[in-house]
Amino acid sequence: MNAKSENTNGSLVKVENLKTHFPIRKGIFSKITGWVKAVDGVSFEIAAGQTLGLVGESGCGKTTVGRTLLRLIPAADGKVIFDGKEVFQLASSELRTLRRNMQLIFQDPFGSLNPRMTVGNIVGESLTVHGIAKGQQRRAMVAELLEKVGLSKTYVNRYPHEFSGGQRQRIGIARALALNPKFIVCDEPVSALDVSIQSQIINLLMDLQKEFGLTYLFIAHDLAVVEHISDSVAVMYLGKIVEHARAEELYKNPKHPYTMALLSAIPQPVPDRKHQRIMLRGEVPSPVNPPSGCPFHPRCHMAIDRCSRDVPQLEPKGGNPQHAACCWVTK
């Protein structure tokens, strides 16, 4: 594998007003009676060689964002521009080429691996499908990929059930690297792993990013997990981004009440330090029938009357053009 030169001159991935809606069907004729607005107007950019952390509670739409921009799920509206090309407008032949540069690491390290295939076949399958290598050359590339992710090349003839969760995720990472991609969607790659293994996988991803100039969309539900790997962080709630900032700025000075609540839930390493947990009221509303005004206002500890009437837009806060939030209360 040849290392890529890191290009930080512009955005590798640009998402504009992305929407993904799923139909609700009822009756014997499966008539559409409504829509689940899983993603409802999401926009962001990721510079080459950088990592955007996309966080939020389960069901907020973050995984749908990742799969939609890879064209694994059809979009209802919006644009995804990858390396200067509009992804949703590409023909099948062009999309095949694009697949080599855009890869996915799945959340479940066991469910995403075919139990009937050996590690060598799992990692090397894409090399065969895309006509990159076969025979001895493919075996050599697979062995190199396994060593890159911290596994022995002697594992090629073993099956997924013979490995631990962390080892399986390393196999998944090796599979994603096989085509030497530019961009990888990491869909909660450590949420199913033990805490002791999570840091190892995150450190591995960071090392691979430096070596190959990779660009990541790192999806997680825990702000503590994305703190060290992300250059910038976007917080999602009910299909929308409610805050977006450079990672250091967001952790030091959150501007949206939802982000404040998520940060307050992170365990503190110093027992004597005073720490006030912000408890959210109720449950996440249904994306089928979201609340009026700000979608977070029924659970917000800072809500005012205007929050229930008017929808706030993502706008700069604190005089920082790189720190934006959807909130009527914070400045």
Side-chain angles (χ1 to χ4, degrees), residues 8-216:
T8 57
N9 294 328
S11 299
L12 179 69
V13 180
K14 186 175 182 180
V15 177
E16 299 179 357
N17 196 35
L18 185 66
K19 296 181 180 180
T20 307
H21 299 167
F22 298 106
I24 301 172
R25 299 179 184 273
K26 293 184 179 180
I28 59 174
F29 298 108
S30 297
K31 183 179 179 180
I32 297 176
T33 58
W35 296 88
V36 177
K37 298 179 179 179
V39 179
D40 196 25
V42 166
S43 301
F44 58 80
E45 297 183 23
I46 312 176
Q50 300 287 301
T51 299
L52 171 66
L54 188 61
V55 299
E57 291 174 287
S58 297
C60 71
K62 54 192 185 296
T63 291
T64 305
V65 168
R67 299 197 176 206
T68 302
L69 66 87
L70 293 177
R71 274 187 66 171
L72 299 177
I73 297 175
D77 196 9
K79 292 182 180 180
V80 174
I81 301 171
F82 174 78
D83 205 11
K85 298 179 180 179
E86 193 170 334
V87 175
F88 298 156
Q89 300 299 321
L90 295 178
S92 298
S93 57
E94 296 174 301
L95 185 61
R96 183 182 176 87
T97 303
L98 183 73
R99 294 285 187 216
R100 296 178 59 171
N101 286 317
M102 302 175 74
Q103 291 292 306
L104 174 65
I105 298 172
F106 295 90
Q107 177 180 356
D108 184 356
F110 187 66
S112 64
L113 304 178
N114 189 332
R116 297 184 179 183
M117 294 176 66
T118 64
V119 170
N121 287 332
I122 290 172
V123 176
E125 182 180 28
S126 58
L127 298 174
T128 302
V129 170
H130 288 270
I132 296 174
K134 59 182 179 179
Q136 182 58 40
Q137 183 184 10
R138 191 185 92 148
R139 287 191 289 271
M141 293 182 69
V142 169
E144 183 183 358
L145 284 164
L146 291 177
E147 291 181 338
K148 287 289 184 185
V149 299
L151 297 174
S152 172
K153 61 183 179 181
T154 62
Y155 292 166
V156 290
N157 293 320
R158 295 188 182 183
Y159 291 86
H161 71 269
E162 300 180 68
F163 297 92
S164 66
Q167 289 175 319
R168 291 174 194 144
Q169 196 59 288
R170 289 174 188 268
I171 295 169
I173 294 171
R175 177 177 57 185
L177 289 175
L179 297 176
N180 208 16
K182 295 180 180 179
F183 174 61
I184 298 179
V185 174
C186 306
D187 184 12
E188 302 203 41
V190 298
S191 64
L193 305 178
D194 293 339
V195 175
S196 59
I197 305 300
Q198 290 182 0
S199 60
Q200 296 179 22
I201 298 299
I202 290 175
N203 288 336
L204 172 62
L205 289 171
M206 293 175 69
D207 291 341
L208 292 171
Q209 183 176 43
K210 289 180 181 179
E211 183 174 358
F212 300 111
L214 297 168
T215 304
Y216 292 145

Side-chain angles (χ1 to χ4, degrees), residues 238 285 289-298 305-312:
L238 215 61
N289 185 26
S292 61
C294 173
F296 184 63
H297 87 266
D305 290 341
R306 185 180 184 183
C307 299
S308 62
R309 299 192 307 268
D310 303 327
V311 180

